[in-house]
Amino acid sequence: MNDERLLRELRDLLRDGGLRGSFLVRDLATGEELGIDPDRELPVASLVKIPLAIATLERVRRGELDAARQIEVAPGRVTSPGPTGLSRFRHPARMAVEDLLYLGLSISDSTAADALFALTPPAEVARILGELGLEGIKVRHPMGDLEDTPVERLGPQQARLAQELVIAAAGSGPGHPVPQLDLARANTGTARAFTDLLQALWTPSAIDPVSAARIRELMGANLLRQRLAPDFSSDAALWSSKTGTLLHLRHESGVVEHADGQVFAVTALTESRVAAGRQPEAEALMGRVARALRDQLRQG
């Protein structure tokens, strides 16, 4: 099947499944790539923890931060489904900076990430990204800002209504009444920008090689594997990634390393038109589309 026909069929699949998608798959050896709307900007939710990790380790390398420094972290005390780690703690905890990195990247603990943002604020993370030549990702706010959304305000009994309001507003024109979804105020990026970020982590770049290796290790230990991992993990392939989820947004950005030596960066950013918090069909569809793009590149 030629590329144009495949892309047409995949767009139809996404539409029929209630998703709008921005996908990009790139062969990191050849630079060959295939995508669907890869330059479309979207709020990135927890994907911002990858730039945060890069900036944190860059400051450690410069001697501005001590990876062993102990930080007292206030308990998140979150009781709603979803958040992990320190976000659910009921009592203060003391954690080393490097251990906060593990919690933030490998289990997507937003309280741990905000402890790191307190050391390296969003504007500083953005500045360091620029110094490293990493463009297209805007870092504007910490993770705690994602907790004040219509779902939290209306409560679990009105979660469907909250989703419906968010989805309706998304199609009403530029901007969004929910700040975390407003492209002028949110942390944002594109599939291309995150694929470029992955390439900088997996191949020689301005990122310190020791820092890049540590981030690859933490992404390889990602515990959230319900989205793209089923289509990319096997005994003959290593899948390393970071997910991002917010309201109707479901994202994942990662790298699959095959036993035969081929390595592909894969980024999938999606927004759903279905007003539901749990959508396993959408997760499976994301993986199906991303894998079809990878298969096309691999066979071509």
Side-chain angles (χ1 to χ4, degrees), residues 78-299:
V78 175
T79 58
S80 59
T84 59
L86 294 170
S87 299
R88 308 193 78 84
F89 276 31
R90 294 181 175 273
H91 307 283
R94 291 184 64 81
M95 303 288 295
V97 167
E98 190 169 16
D99 291 332
L100 290 170
L101 275 173
Y102 161 70
L103 293 176
L105 267 189
S106 297
I107 71 169
S108 203
D109 182 343
S110 291
T111 295
D114 274 350
L116 295 174
F117 267 128
L119 299 173
T120 308
E124 180 68 4
V125 173
R127 188 185 67 78
I128 291 172
L129 287 185
E131 288 181 355
L132 296 173
L134 301 169
E135 301 178 348
I137 299 171
K138 297 181 176 67
V139 185
R140 297 185 173 110
H141 62 77
M143 300 307 301
D145 290 358
L146 300 181
E147 296 174 2
D148 184 21
T149 72
V151 170
E152 284 72 29
R153 292 189 182 190
L154 293 176
Q157 302 304 319
Q158 298 294 323
R160 182 179 178 85
L161 173 60
Q163 291 276 355
E164 290 174 348
L165 293 173
V166 165
I167 292 168
S172 62
H176 199 289
V178 177
Q180 301 91 333
L181 300 176
D182 185 344
L183 295 180
R185 293 181 285 176
N187 297 326
T188 66
T190 65
R192 186 176 305 282
F194 274 93
T195 301
D196 290 343
L197 189 70
L198 295 173
Q199 181 160 357
L201 288 167
W202 260 261
T203 63
S205 71
I207 300 176
D208 175 67
V210 175
S211 298
R214 179 59 176 152
I215 292 172
R216 293 196 301 269
E217 179 183 10
L218 292 173
M219 291 177 68
N222 180 17
L223 294 181
L224 304 179
R225 307 183 71 80
Q226 80 281 12
R227 197 159 286 168
L228 301 188
D231 282 280
F232 289 102
S233 295
S234 73
D235 289 345
L238 173 65
W239 174 246
S240 307
S241 72
K242 179 72 195 74
T243 59
T245 309
L246 175 65
L247 298 170
H248 66 313
L249 303 177
R250 288 168 180 78
H251 308 324
E252 188 158 0
S253 188
V255 170
V256 57
E257 301 173 75
H258 294 282
D260 65 5
Q262 286 190 297
V263 182
F264 297 88
V266 182
T267 301
L269 311 180
T270 71
E271 58 180 356
S272 177
R273 299 191 305 274
V274 179
R278 295 181 178 86
Q279 297 186 41
E281 296 88 353
E283 314 270 6
L285 179 55
M286 288 175 65
R288 180 180 176 185
V289 170
R291 179 165 180 166
L293 293 170
R294 190 285 313 268
D295 289 348
Q296 184 79 354
L297 281 180
R298 199 172 189 205
Q299 295 166 7

Side-chain angles (χ1 to χ4, degrees), residues 7-25 34-43 189-192 228 248-252 267-273 282 285-290 293:
L7 293 176
R8 186 167 60 250
E9 291 187 0
L10 293 179
R11 288 177 188 275
D12 290 343
L13 278 175
L14 289 168
R15 185 191 63 246
D16 293 345
L19 291 180
R20 288 184 65 192
S22 176
F23 290 76
L24 187 63
V25 178
L34 191 60
I36 298 171
D37 297 332
D39 297 305
R40 180 167 172 252
E41 187 179 21
L42 285 167
T190 65
R192 186 176 305 282
L228 301 188
H248 66 313
L249 303 177
R250 288 168 180 78
H251 308 324
E252 188 158 0
T267 301
L269 311 180
T270 71
E271 58 180 356
S272 177
R273 299 191 305 274
L285 179 55
M286 288 175 65
R288 180 180 176 185
V289 170
L293 293 170

Side-chain angles (χ1 to χ4, degrees), residues 25-38:
V25 178
R26 180 182 298 162
D27 185 328
L28 294 185
T30 67
E32 186 180 3
E33 62 184 34
L34 191 60
I36 298 171
D37 297 332

